[in-house]
PDB file of all heavy atoms in Angstrom:
ATOM      1  N   ALA A  96     109.727 110.893  97.796  1.00 96.00           N
ATOM      2  CA  ALA A  96     109.727 109.880  96.706  1.00 96.00           C
ATOM      3  C   ALA A  96     108.357 109.247  96.514  1.00 96.00           C
ATOM      4  O   ALA A  96     108.228 108.083  96.289  1.00 96.00           O
ATOM      5  CB  ALA A  96     110.767 108.810  96.986  1.00 96.00           C
ATOM      6  N   ASN A  97     107.286 110.068  96.627  1.00 97.00           N
ATOM      7  CA  ASN A  97     105.929 109.574  96.451  1.00 97.00           C
ATOM      8  C   ASN A  97     105.136 110.503  95.613  1.00 97.00           C
ATOM      9  O   ASN A  97     105.107 111.715  95.797  1.00 97.00           O
ATOM     10  CB  ASN A  97     105.284 109.391  97.833  1.00 97.00           C
ATOM     11  CG  ASN A  97     104.020 108.603  97.747  1.00 97.00           C
ATOM     12  OD1 ASN A  97     102.978 109.138  97.358  1.00 97.00           O
ATOM     13  ND2 ASN A  97     104.089 107.354  98.126  1.00 97.00           N
ATOM     14  N   TYR A  98     104.401 109.927  94.630  1.00 98.00           N
ATOM     15  CA  TYR A  98     103.615 110.692  93.705  1.00 98.00           C
ATOM     16  C   TYR A  98     102.566 111.561  94.381  1.00 98.00           C
ATOM     17  O   TYR A  98     102.363 112.691  93.994  1.00 98.00           O
ATOM     18  CB  TYR A  98     102.880 109.688  92.730  1.00 98.00           C
ATOM     19  CG  TYR A  98     101.847 110.355  91.860  1.00 98.00           C
ATOM     20  CD1 TYR A  98     102.199 111.140  90.772  1.00 98.00           C
ATOM     21  CD2 TYR A  98     100.489 110.151  92.111  1.00 98.00           C
ATOM     22  CE1 TYR A  98     101.262 111.774  89.966  1.00 98.00           C
ATOM     23  CE2 TYR A  98      99.509 110.780  91.298  1.00 98.00           C
ATOM     24  CZ  TYR A  98      99.906 111.564  90.256  1.00 98.00           C
ATOM     25  OH  TYR A  98      98.949 112.178  89.467  1.00 98.00           O
ATOM     26  N   ARG A  99     101.958 111.040  95.392  1.00 97.00           N
ATOM     27  CA  ARG A  99     100.902 111.791  96.120  1.00 97.00           C
ATOM     28  C   ARG A  99     101.412 113.118  96.633  1.00 97.00           C
ATOM     29  O   ARG A  99     100.722 114.144  96.702  1.00 97.00           O
ATOM     30  CB  ARG A  99     100.393 110.954  97.299  1.00 97.00           C
ATOM     31  CG  ARG A  99      99.330 111.610  98.080  1.00 97.00           C
ATOM     32  CD  ARG A  99      98.819 110.743  99.229  1.00 97.00           C
ATOM     33  NE  ARG A  99      97.430 111.042  99.425  1.00 97.00           N
ATOM     34  CZ  ARG A  99      96.467 110.173  99.583  1.00 97.00           C
ATOM     35  NH1 ARG A  99      96.775 108.891  99.662  1.00 97.00           N
ATOM     36  NH2 ARG A  99      95.245 110.528  99.756  1.00 97.00           N
ATOM     37  N   ASN A 100     102.686 113.187  96.987  1.00 98.00           N
ATOM     38  CA  ASN A 100     103.292 114.379  97.566  1.00 98.00           C
ATOM     39  C   ASN A 100     103.767 115.389  96.507  1.00 98.00           C
ATOM     40  O   ASN A 100     104.284 116.453  96.884  1.00 98.00           O
ATOM     41  CB  ASN A 100     104.469 114.003  98.475  1.00 98.00           C
ATOM     42  CG  ASN A 100     104.026 113.162  99.645  1.00 98.00           C
ATOM     43  OD1 ASN A 100     102.880 113.256 100.085  1.00 98.00           O
ATOM     44  ND2 ASN A 100     104.887 112.286 100.083  1.00 98.00           N
ATOM     45  N   LEU A 101     103.538 115.124  95.245  1.00 97.00           N
ATOM     46  CA  LEU A 101     103.900 116.050  94.195  1.00 97.00           C
ATOM     47  C   LEU A 101     102.939 117.195  94.083  1.00 97.00           C
ATOM     48  O   LEU A 101     103.226 118.238  93.501  1.00 97.00           O
ATOM     49  CB  LEU A 101     103.969 115.356  92.827  1.00 97.00           C
ATOM     50  CG  LEU A 101     105.067 114.339  92.616  1.00 97.00           C
ATOM     51  CD1 LEU A 101     104.996 113.790  91.207  1.00 97.00           C
ATOM     52  CD2 LEU A 101     106.437 114.909  92.914  1.00 97.00           C
ATOM     53  N   MET A 102     101.755 117.055  94.652  1.00 97.00           N
ATOM     54  CA  MET A 102     100.659 118.008  94.385  1.00 97.00           C
ATOM     55  C   MET A 102      99.976 118.433  95.692  1.00 97.00           C
ATOM     56  O   MET A 102     100.180 117.832  96.725  1.00 97.00           O
ATOM     57  CB  MET A 102      99.640 117.371  93.460  1.00 97.00           C
ATOM     58  CG  MET A 102      98.973 116.165  94.040  1.00 97.00           C
ATOM     59  SD  MET A 102      98.335 115.047  92.797  1.00 97.00           S
ATOM     60  CE  MET A 102      99.826 114.395  92.083  1.00 97.00           C
ATOM     61  N   GLU A 103      99.134 119.452  95.536  1.00 96.00           N
ATOM     62  CA  GLU A 103      98.282 119.854  96.652  1.00 96.00           C
ATOM     63  C   GLU A 103      97.284 118.710  96.939  1.00 96.00           C
ATOM     64  O   GLU A 103      96.838 118.018  96.023  1.00 96.00           O
ATOM     65  CB  GLU A 103      97.536 121.139  96.289  1.00 96.00           C
ATOM     66  CG  GLU A 103      98.435 122.348  96.140  1.00 96.00           C
ATOM     67  CD  GLU A 103      99.109 122.675  97.475  1.00 96.00           C
ATOM     68  OE1 GLU A 103      98.433 123.012  98.456  1.00 96.00           O
ATOM     69  OE2 GLU A 103     100.347 122.599  97.507  1.00 96.00           O
ATOM     70  N   GLU A 104      96.963 118.538  98.171  1.00 95.00           N
ATOM     71  CA  GLU A 104      96.092 117.409  98.613  1.00 95.00           C
ATOM     72  C   GLU A 104      94.793 117.308  97.870  1.00 95.00           C
ATOM     73  O   GLU A 104      94.381 116.216  97.491  1.00 95.00           O
ATOM     74  CB  GLU A 104      95.851 117.529 100.104  1.00 95.00           C
ATOM     75  CG  GLU A 104      95.175 116.337 100.718  1.00 95.00           C
ATOM     76  CD  GLU A 104      95.056 116.441 102.225  1.00 95.00           C
ATOM     77  OE1 GLU A 104      95.921 117.041 102.882  1.00 95.00           O
ATOM     78  OE2 GLU A 104      94.076 115.877 102.719  1.00 95.00           O
ATOM     79  N   GLU A 105      94.156 118.445  97.605  1.00 97.00           N
ATOM     80  CA  GLU A 105      92.852 118.386  96.913  1.00 97.00           C
ATOM     81  C   GLU A 105      92.929 117.927  95.471  1.00 97.00           C
ATOM     82  O   GLU A 105      91.922 117.579  94.898  1.00 97.00           O
ATOM     83  CB  GLU A 105      92.113 119.726  97.059  1.00 97.00           C
ATOM     84  CG  GLU A 105      92.848 120.895  96.396  1.00 97.00           C
ATOM     85  CD  GLU A 105      93.806 121.596  97.356  1.00 97.00           C
ATOM     86  OE1 GLU A 105      94.042 121.182  98.486  1.00 97.00           O
ATOM     87  OE2 GLU A 105      94.320 122.658  96.956  1.00 97.00           O
ATOM     88  N   ASP A 106      94.113 117.964  94.884  1.00 96.00           N
ATOM     89  CA  ASP A 106      94.306 117.565  93.476  1.00 96.00           C
ATOM     90  C   ASP A 106      94.645 116.094  93.325  1.00 96.00           C
ATOM     91  O   ASP A 106      94.698 115.578  92.213  1.00 96.00           O
ATOM     92  CB  ASP A 106      95.365 118.405  92.819  1.00 96.00           C
ATOM     93  CG  ASP A 106      94.930 119.815  92.503  1.00 96.00           C
ATOM     94  OD1 ASP A 106      93.711 120.087  92.526  1.00 96.00           O
ATOM     95  OD2 ASP A 106      95.794 120.677  92.257  1.00 96.00           O
ATOM     96  N   TYR A 107      94.949 115.430  94.422  1.00 97.00           N
ATOM     97  CA  TYR A 107      95.397 114.041  94.327  1.00 97.00           C
ATOM     98  C   TYR A 107      94.294 113.085  93.895  1.00 97.00           C
ATOM     99  O   TYR A 107      93.218 113.050  94.435  1.00 97.00           O
ATOM    100  CB  TYR A 107      95.989 113.554  95.639  1.00 97.00           C
ATOM    101  CG  TYR A 107      96.337 112.099  95.613  1.00 97.00           C
ATOM    102  CD1 TYR A 107      97.397 111.619  94.907  1.00 97.00           C
ATOM    103  CD2 TYR A 107      95.473 111.134  96.232  1.00 97.00           C
ATOM    104  CE1 TYR A 107      97.697 110.288  94.794  1.00 97.00           C
ATOM    105  CE2 TYR A 107      95.759 109.797  96.179  1.00 97.00           C
ATOM    106  CZ  TYR A 107      96.880 109.370  95.433  1.00 97.00           C
ATOM    107  OH  TYR A 107      97.152 108.024  95.348  1.00 97.00           O
ATOM    108  N   LYS A 108      94.634 112.285  92.876  1.00 95.00           N
ATOM    109  CA  LYS A 108      93.873 111.110  92.466  1.00 95.00           C
ATOM    110  C   LYS A 108      94.871 110.027  92.143  1.00 95.00           C
ATOM    111  O   LYS A 108      95.889 110.326  91.467  1.00 95.00           O
ATOM    112  CB  LYS A 108      92.998 111.427  91.249  1.00 95.00           C
ATOM    113  CG  LYS A 108      91.847 112.328  91.481  1.00 95.00           C
ATOM    114  CD  LYS A 108      91.043 112.555  90.239  1.00 95.00           C
ATOM    115  CE  LYS A 108      89.975 113.594  90.553  1.00 95.00           C
ATOM    116  NZ  LYS A 108      89.350 114.145  89.376  1.00 95.00           N
ATOM    117  N   PRO A 109      94.656 108.819  92.555  1.00 94.00           N
ATOM    118  CA  PRO A 109      95.606 107.756  92.244  1.00 94.00           C
ATOM    119  C   PRO A 109      95.798 107.653  90.721  1.00 94.00           C
ATOM    120  O   PRO A 109      94.848 107.824  89.956  1.00 94.00           O
ATOM    121  CB  PRO A 109      94.958 106.473  92.798  1.00 94.00           C
ATOM    122  CG  PRO A 109      93.984 106.946  93.790  1.00 94.00           C
ATOM    123  CD  PRO A 109      93.518 108.308  93.359  1.00 94.00           C
ATOM    124  N   LEU A 110      97.036 107.411  90.299  1.00 93.00           N
ATOM    125  CA  LEU A 110      97.304 107.250  88.870  1.00 93.00           C
ATOM    126  C   LEU A 110      96.426 106.176  88.233  1.00 93.00           C
ATOM    127  O   LEU A 110      95.972 106.285  87.105  1.00 93.00           O
ATOM    128  CB  LEU A 110      98.772 106.974  88.627  1.00 93.00           C
ATOM    129  CG  LEU A 110      99.688 108.162  88.752  1.00 93.00           C
ATOM    130  CD1 LEU A 110     101.151 107.730  88.886  1.00 93.00           C
ATOM    131  CD2 LEU A 110      99.492 109.108  87.565  1.00 93.00           C
ATOM    132  N   SER A 111      96.140 105.107  89.008  1.00 90.00           N
ATOM    133  CA  SER A 111      95.331 103.987  88.493  1.00 90.00           C
ATOM    134  C   SER A 111      93.893 104.467  88.189  1.00 90.00           C
ATOM    135  O   SER A 111      93.214 103.830  87.420  1.00 90.00           O
ATOM    136  CB  SER A 111      95.322 102.830  89.488  1.00 90.00           C
ATOM    137  OG  SER A 111      94.770 103.252  90.729  1.00 90.00           O
ATOM    138  N   ALA A 112      93.414 105.579  88.802  1.00 90.00           N
ATOM    139  CA  ALA A 112      92.062 106.055  88.600  1.00 90.00           C
ATOM    140  C   ALA A 112      91.989 107.088  87.476  1.00 90.00           C
ATOM    141  O   ALA A 112      90.914 107.480  87.068  1.00 90.00           O
ATOM    142  CB  ALA A 112      91.568 106.686  89.883  1.00 90.00           C
ATOM    143  N   LEU A 113      93.148 107.550  87.013  1.00 89.00           N
ATOM    144  CA  LEU A 113      93.149 108.559  85.910  1.00 89.00           C
ATOM    145  C   LEU A 113      93.138 107.873  84.543  1.00 89.00           C
ATOM    146  O   LEU A 113      93.496 106.719  84.417  1.00 89.00           O
ATOM    147  CB  LEU A 113      94.403 109.415  86.019  1.00 89.00           C
ATOM    148  CG  LEU A 113      94.533 110.259  87.281  1.00 89.00           C
ATOM    149  CD1 LEU A 113      95.889 110.967  87.326  1.00 89.00           C
ATOM    150  CD2 LEU A 113      93.390 111.275  87.397  1.00 89.00           C
ATOM    151  N   GLY A 114      92.739 108.577  83.503  1.00 74.00           N
ATOM    152  CA  GLY A 114      92.783 108.059  82.159  1.00 74.00           C
ATOM    153  C   GLY A 114      91.558 107.218  81.765  1.00 74.00           C
ATOM    154  O   GLY A 114      91.540 106.701  80.646  1.00 74.00           O
ATOM    155  N   ASN A 115      90.621 107.043  82.612  1.00 75.00           N
ATOM    156  CA  ASN A 115      89.418 106.260  82.326  1.00 75.00           C
ATOM    157  C   ASN A 115      89.726 104.917  81.649  1.00 75.00           C
ATOM    158  O   ASN A 115      89.155 104.545  80.645  1.00 75.00           O
ATOM    159  CB  ASN A 115      88.502 107.081  81.409  1.00 75.00           C
ATOM    160  CG  ASN A 115      87.980 108.329  82.084  1.00 75.00           C
ATOM    161  OD1 ASN A 115      87.707 108.283  83.280  1.00 75.00           O
ATOM    162  ND2 ASN A 115      87.906 109.423  81.369  1.00 75.00           N
ATOM    163  N   GLY A 116      90.677 104.210  82.201  1.00 74.00           N
ATOM    164  CA  GLY A 116      91.030 102.882  81.664  1.00 74.00           C
ATOM    165  C   GLY A 116      91.982 102.895  80.487  1.00 74.00           C
ATOM    166  O   GLY A 116      92.402 101.858  80.021  1.00 74.00           O
ATOM    167  N   HIS A 117      92.317 104.090  80.004  1.00 77.00           N
ATOM    168  CA  HIS A 117      93.253 104.211  78.860  1.00 77.00           C
ATOM    169  C   HIS A 117      94.654 104.436  79.424  1.00 77.00           C
ATOM    170  O   HIS A 117      95.088 105.588  79.600  1.00 77.00           O
ATOM    171  CB  HIS A 117      92.848 105.359  77.940  1.00 77.00           C
ATOM    172  CG  HIS A 117      91.502 105.193  77.357  1.00 77.00           C
ATOM    173  ND1 HIS A 117      91.231 104.253  76.366  1.00 77.00           N
ATOM    174  CD2 HIS A 117      90.301 105.778  77.664  1.00 77.00           C
ATOM    175  CE1 HIS A 117      89.959 104.333  76.058  1.00 77.00           C
ATOM    176  NE2 HIS A 117      89.360 105.234  76.867  1.00 77.00           N
ATOM    177  N   LEU A 118      95.387 103.378  79.687  1.00 73.00           N
ATOM    178  CA  LEU A 118      96.672 103.498  80.355  1.00 73.00           C
ATOM    179  C   LEU A 118      97.786 103.890  79.445  1.00 73.00           C
ATOM    180  O   LEU A 118      98.919 104.107  79.875  1.00 73.00           O
ATOM    181  CB  LEU A 118      97.000 102.175  81.063  1.00 73.00           C
ATOM    182  CG  LEU A 118      96.013 101.720  82.141  1.00 73.00           C
ATOM    183  CD1 LEU A 118      96.382 100.394  82.746  1.00 73.00           C
ATOM    184  CD2 LEU A 118      95.830 102.801  83.199  1.00 73.00           C
ATOM    185  N   ASN A 119      97.537 104.042  78.164  1.00 80.00           N
ATOM    186  CA  ASN A 119      98.533 104.536  77.223  1.00 80.00           C
ATOM    187  C   ASN A 119      98.509 106.072  77.069  1.00 80.00           C
ATOM    188  O   ASN A 119      99.394 106.635  76.436  1.00 80.00           O
ATOM    189  CB  ASN A 119      98.360 103.912  75.814  1.00 80.00           C
ATOM    190  CG  ASN A 119      98.700 102.465  75.840  1.00 80.00           C
ATOM    191  OD1 ASN A 119      99.597 102.033  76.562  1.00 80.00           O
ATOM    192  ND2 ASN A 119      98.011 101.670  75.061  1.00 80.00           N
ATOM    193  N   HIS A 120      97.511 106.683  77.641  1.00 86.00           N
ATOM    194  CA  HIS A 120      97.346 108.129  77.544  1.00 86.00           C
ATOM    195  C   HIS A 120      96.613 108.646  78.764  1.00 86.00           C
ATOM    196  O   HIS A 120      95.416 108.727  78.784  1.00 86.00           O
ATOM    197  CB  HIS A 120      96.593 108.509  76.273  1.00 86.00           C
ATOM    198  CG  HIS A 120      96.484 109.952  76.024  1.00 86.00           C
ATOM    199  ND1 HIS A 120      97.469 110.721  75.495  1.00 86.00           N
ATOM    200  CD2 HIS A 120      95.475 110.840  76.344  1.00 86.00           C
ATOM    201  CE1 HIS A 120      97.059 112.023  75.430  1.00 86.00           C
ATOM    202  NE2 HIS A 120      95.905 112.070  75.953  1.00 86.00           N
ATOM    203  N   ILE A 121      97.392 108.972  79.802  1.00 93.00           N
ATOM    204  CA  ILE A 121      96.784 109.451  81.062  1.00 93.00           C
ATOM    205  C   ILE A 121      97.059 110.914  81.192  1.00 93.00           C
ATOM    206  O   ILE A 121      98.211 111.339  81.377  1.00 93.00           O
ATOM    207  CB  ILE A 121      97.423 108.663  82.274  1.00 93.00           C
ATOM    208  CG1 ILE A 121      97.252 107.170  82.107  1.00 93.00           C
ATOM    209  CG2 ILE A 121      96.812 109.166  83.592  1.00 93.00           C
ATOM    210  CD1 ILE A 121      98.055 106.358  83.114  1.00 93.00           C
ATOM    211  N   PRO A 122      96.027 111.756  81.075  1.00 93.00           N
ATOM    212  CA  PRO A 122      96.235 113.194  81.247  1.00 93.00           C
ATOM    213  C   PRO A 122      96.463 113.525  82.728  1.00 93.00           C
ATOM    214  O   PRO A 122      95.782 112.978  83.595  1.00 93.00           O
ATOM    215  CB  PRO A 122      94.948 113.785  80.708  1.00 93.00           C
ATOM    216  CG  PRO A 122      93.923 112.726  80.840  1.00 93.00           C
ATOM    217  CD  PRO A 122      94.660 111.407  80.758  1.00 93.00           C
ATOM    218  N   ILE A 123      97.390 114.390  82.970  1.00 95.00           N
ATOM    219  CA  ILE A 123      97.744 114.776  84.343  1.00 95.00           C
ATOM    220  C   ILE A 123      97.705 116.299  84.473  1.00 95.00           C
ATOM    221  O   ILE A 123      98.263 117.028  83.632  1.00 95.00           O
ATOM    222  CB  ILE A 123      99.134 114.215  84.694  1.00 95.00           C
ATOM    223  CG1 ILE A 123      99.146 112.736  84.612  1.00 95.00           C
ATOM    224  CG2 ILE A 123      99.530 114.694  86.098  1.00 95.00           C
ATOM    225  CD1 ILE A 123     100.525 112.116  84.703  1.00 95.00           C
ATOM    226  N   SER A 124      97.076 116.784  85.558  1.00 95.00           N
ATOM    227  CA  SER A 124      97.012 118.193  85.810  1.00 95.00           C
ATOM    228  C   SER A 124      96.815 118.391  87.296  1.00 95.00           C
ATOM    229  O   SER A 124      95.950 117.805  87.885  1.00 95.00           O
ATOM    230  CB  SER A 124      95.844 118.814  85.028  1.00 95.00           C
ATOM    231  OG  SER A 124      95.805 120.211  85.210  1.00 95.00           O
ATOM    232  N   PHE A 125      97.679 119.230  87.877  1.00 97.00           N
ATOM    233  CA  PHE A 125      97.537 119.472  89.350  1.00 97.00           C
ATOM    234  C   PHE A 125      98.299 120.731  89.715  1.00 97.00           C
ATOM    235  O   PHE A 125      99.194 121.211  89.026  1.00 97.00           O
ATOM    236  CB  PHE A 125      98.039 118.287  90.153  1.00 97.00           C
ATOM    237  CG  PHE A 125      99.493 117.874  89.898  1.00 97.00           C
ATOM    238  CD1 PHE A 125     100.566 118.512  90.510  1.00 97.00           C
ATOM    239  CD2 PHE A 125      99.758 116.824  89.035  1.00 97.00           C
ATOM    240  CE1 PHE A 125     101.845 118.141  90.296  1.00 97.00           C
ATOM    241  CE2 PHE A 125     101.065 116.387  88.804  1.00 97.00           C
ATOM    242  CZ  PHE A 125     102.099 117.109  89.428  1.00 97.00           C
TER     243      PHE A 125
END
Side-chain angles (χ1 to χ4, degrees):
N97 192 283
Y98 171 75
R99 180 180 213 135
N100 298 330
L101 292 182
M102 64 205 68
E103 292 297 297
E104 188 174 330
E105 61 271 8
D106 287 343
Y107 173 74
K108 290 182 185 164
L110 283 165
S111 60
L113 298 175
N115 297 323
H117 301 286
L118 299 179
N119 290 326
H120 182 82
I121 303 168
I123 299 169
S124 183
F125 58 83

